[in-house]
């Protein structure tokens, strides 16, 4: 499967869109916002640039990206007032894969600029915003053109499904599972780990060439607590999806062979694995690592399981349709998914782990 061509969050602003189902990501970003703002302010104190280059990698199509950019601009404005420095201009690059719904982001730009100007007696800063389609597993920008890079809930997505999950006949060695599970052979977790190493190293190398010396990155990424890949965290959500797809097979909605060769391009790294890769690649100093457990807020009358199901659907819909075809009944699939999550939560908590990293280019 060509991930770069197929994978994208559900576009638009409808009921199943990412824009309507990304409150978990927004809550996480808000919880960690103080660290992001401290980082951009520290960076601004250290550089003397008249023009700040900022990139959001994996911006997606919802409102979260421009909300973050607004916070960054206002944080720099506050630093300028305190230090009596002139306000820089901002070059903002919004990046995601080519199939991302960039138009839904651009349509909100008038509101974005209006909100920035609101209640201001002084001139509004010059902000130049552009879309930058392409995979961040490789070069995106010219040398030394960026000062700050932000990426939220993107780097756990691999560049591709690990090729070594399949034998010489193209058969999956992880049949019946979409990710690492208790029934997976040890070679499955090794395949995912090797792919993460390759991708994360390439990401760091590429960004080191695009950032100025002393430039910063704030990366928010799903992960896991310890050595074990199978836990009641992020991997468990994929276990539930495997079960729901198995129900679809039993009901004759999808073919078992299709399920056997459906694997997600996802990896929940541990803190040690992340730190090891940063040290091994060698371009960055890891200034800060924080771990968070983000609890999902739900709307009135909506169960936790339903809320999670809608979020996972907004993320996986493009991949599921591409693999199983338009005949797959996603309404039924994710109805089952939501019910299973609620049943599991009644037994024991599910606690997905998020890491925040602050890196400085050496």
């Amino acid at each position: 499967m060509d991930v770069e061509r197929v994978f994208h969050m559900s576009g638009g602003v409808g009921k199943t869109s990412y824009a309507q189902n990304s409150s978990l990501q927004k809550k996480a970003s808000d919880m960690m916002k103080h660290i992001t703002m401290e980082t951009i302010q520290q960076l601004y104190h250290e550089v003397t640039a008249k023009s700040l280059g900022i990139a959001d990698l994996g911006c997606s199509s919802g409102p979260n990206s421009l909300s973050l950019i607004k916070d960054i601009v206002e944080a720099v404005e506050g630093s300028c007032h305190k230090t009596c420095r002139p306000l820089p201009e901002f070059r903002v690059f919004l990046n995601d894969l080519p199939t991302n719904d960039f138009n839904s982001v651009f349509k909100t730009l008038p509101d974005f600029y209006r909100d920035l100007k609101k209640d201001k007696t002084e001139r509004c800063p010059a902000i130049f915003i552009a879309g930058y389609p392409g995979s961040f597993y490789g070069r995106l920008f010219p040398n030394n053109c960026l000062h700050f890079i932000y990426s939220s809930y993107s780097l756990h997505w691999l560049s591709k499904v690990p090729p070594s999950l399949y034998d010489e006949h193209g058969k999956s060695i992880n049949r019946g599972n979409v990710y690492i599970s208790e029934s997976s052979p040890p070679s499955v977790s090794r395949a995912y780990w090797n792919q993460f190493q390759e991708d994360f190293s390439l990401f760091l190398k590429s960004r080191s060439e695009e950032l100025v010396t002393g430039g910063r990155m704030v990366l928010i990424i799903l992960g896991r607590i310890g050595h074990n890949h199978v836990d009641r965290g992020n991997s468990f959500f994929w276990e539930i999806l495997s079960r729901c797809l198995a129900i679809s097979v039993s009901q004759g909605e999808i073919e078992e062979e299709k399920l056997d060769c459906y694997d997600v391009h996802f990896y929940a790294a541990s803190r040690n694995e992340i730190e090891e890769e940063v040290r091994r690649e060698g371009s960055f100093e890891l200034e800060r690592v924080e771990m968070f457990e983000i609890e999902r807020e739900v709307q009135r009358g909506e169960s936790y399981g339903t809320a999670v199901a809608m979020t996972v659907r907004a993320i996986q819909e493009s991949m599921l349709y591409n693999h199983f075809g338009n005949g797959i009944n996603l309404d039924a699939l994710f109805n089952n998914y939501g019910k299973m999550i609620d049943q599991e939560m009644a037994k024991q908590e599910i606690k997905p782990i998020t890491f925040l990293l602050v890196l400085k280019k050496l």
Side-chain angles (χ1 to χ4, degrees), residues 55-98:
D56 181 356
L57 306 184
C59 66
S60 194
S61 57
N64 294 351
S65 182
L66 288 180
S67 175
L68 181 277
I69 298 303
K70 180 175 180 288
D71 290 336
I72 289 175
V73 170
E74 291 178 343
V76 174
E77 282 184 298
S79 292
C80 289
H81 289 313
K82 289 180 181 178
T83 58
C84 297
R85 293 174 62 180
L87 194 63
E89 66 180 21
F90 296 85
R91 293 172 286 113
V92 178
F93 306 104
L94 305 180
N95 159 259
D96 214 307
L97 294 175

Side-chain angles (χ1 to χ4, degrees), residues 139-291:
R139 287 292 301 275
L140 287 167
F141 308 101
N143 285 334
N144 303 313
C145 73
L146 298 176
H147 297 86
F148 183 75
I149 290 173
Y150 179 82
S151 183
S152 179
Y153 287 100
S154 296
L155 277 163
H156 42 255
W157 297 114
L158 303 173
S159 65
K160 57 188 174 185
V161 175
S164 52
L165 288 180
Y166 304 92
D167 62 22
E168 64 272 17
H169 304 294
K171 299 291 186 180
S172 174
I173 62 174
N174 196 32
R175 295 179 186 178
N177 302 306
V178 303
Y179 185 58
I180 306 165
S181 75
E182 289 183 352
S183 62
S184 300
S187 54
V188 170
S189 56
R190 287 198 299 269
Y192 274 104
W193 165 233
N194 290 339
Q195 189 62 52
F196 175 79
Q197 283 182 298
E198 177 184 321
D199 285 345
F200 194 46
S201 177
L202 180 57
F203 175 87
L204 294 173
K205 183 179 185 299
S206 301
R207 305 294 81 79
S208 72
E209 295 177 18
E210 297 162 353
L211 277 166
V212 300
T213 300
R216 300 298 205 283
M217 290 200 296
V218 171
L219 309 177
I220 299 172
I221 178 173
L222 292 175
R224 68 182 197 278
I225 292 180
H227 176 74
N228 192 2
H229 290 276
V230 181
D231 58 17
R232 298 281 294 191
N234 291 299
S235 69
F236 195 69
F237 291 125
W238 298 118
E239 171 66 26
I240 298 297
L241 183 59
S242 296
R243 295 180 195 174
C244 291
L245 288 168
I247 292 174
S248 297
V249 170
S250 69
Q251 295 174 342
E253 294 178 0
I254 60 177
E255 299 174 5
E256 186 173 7
E257 292 78 9
K258 283 278 191 179
L259 172 56
D260 285 342
C261 61
Y262 186 71
D263 300 280
V264 295
H265 63 293
F266 171 92
Y267 186 70
S270 68
R271 175 171 179 162
N272 286 343
E273 288 173 340
I274 292 170
E275 292 178 345
E276 176 186 331
E277 283 309 298
V278 172
R279 285 193 298 267
R280 189 173 67 86
E281 195 280 328
S283 298
F284 291 90
E285 173 191 353
L286 188 54
E287 290 192 317
R288 188 168 184 173
V289 183
E290 301 284 349
M291 187 182 80

Side-chain angles (χ1 to χ4, degrees), residues 8-14 16-19 61 101 104 314:
H8 59 84
M9 306 295 106
S10 295
V13 293
T16 62
S17 68
Y18 185 78
S61 57
D101 184 7
S104 68

